[in-house]
Amino acid sequence: MSTPVQAPAGQQPAESAGRRAIWLSIAALAMTIMLPAAGLVLAVFALVAGIRALPLLRNAGKPTGSAAGGIAVSTVALLLSAGATAMQLYLMDEHSAYQECMKGAGTVSSQGECYVQFRDAAEKKLPADVLELLGTTP
């Protein structure tokens, strides 16, 4: 059995761990905008990478700003993606009905009617506070 090879003085792994944390967190934030469920998973990975990078950077005597920034950005991405994913799951039936309506909509006015039906169904299911926050109150 052989022993693992270690980098000299631990410099390179610590620096790359900090960069990895910040890049993963930025990717998680971007994924949250496009696909919230994937952003949720990536934000968890970014948060773990940032937490693991902190002691590596401290032990190497390097600044911990990249790891701390990665933790902060991934926490924001985690909260946003968790909220968006929860909203998607909560309104899944209404969204499915909207998609079915749009498949049969042949004109712009019928597409508008599909949207109005979706909005009305979502308004019945969501509290007024959330609707005000989203800016969809009449």
Side-chain angles (χ1 to χ4, degrees), residues 14-122:
E15 291 174 1
S16 65
R19 285 193 302 268
R20 185 179 317 116
I22 194 72
W23 281 112
L24 275 173
S25 64
I26 291 170
L29 193 57
M31 262 327 242
T32 296
I33 294 168
M34 294 183 287
L35 189 60
L40 182 66
V41 172
L42 195 55
V44 170
F45 285 130
L47 187 61
V48 169
I51 291 171
R52 291 182 68 189
L54 275 176
L56 288 174
L57 289 168
R58 283 190 190 126
N59 291 340
K62 298 289 181 180
T64 59
S66 60
I71 290 170
V73 173
S74 63
T75 301
V76 169
L78 185 66
L79 292 173
L80 289 174
S81 61
T85 302
M87 184 70 74
Q88 284 180 340
L89 291 174
Y90 186 66
L91 295 175
M92 188 178 346
D93 294 335
E94 288 78 8
H95 189 264
S96 295
Y98 172 73
Q99 292 289 27
E100 287 299 318
C101 182
M102 288 297 283
K103 285 180 184 176
T107 63
V108 173
S109 63
S110 60
Q111 290 175 353
E113 290 175 21
C114 291
Y115 173 73
V116 169
Q117 290 173 1
F118 172 72
R119 188 187 66 209
D120 292 343

Side-chain angles (χ1 to χ4, degrees), residues 5-13:
V5 178
Q6 295 179 352
Q11 298 296 326
Q12 183 60 26

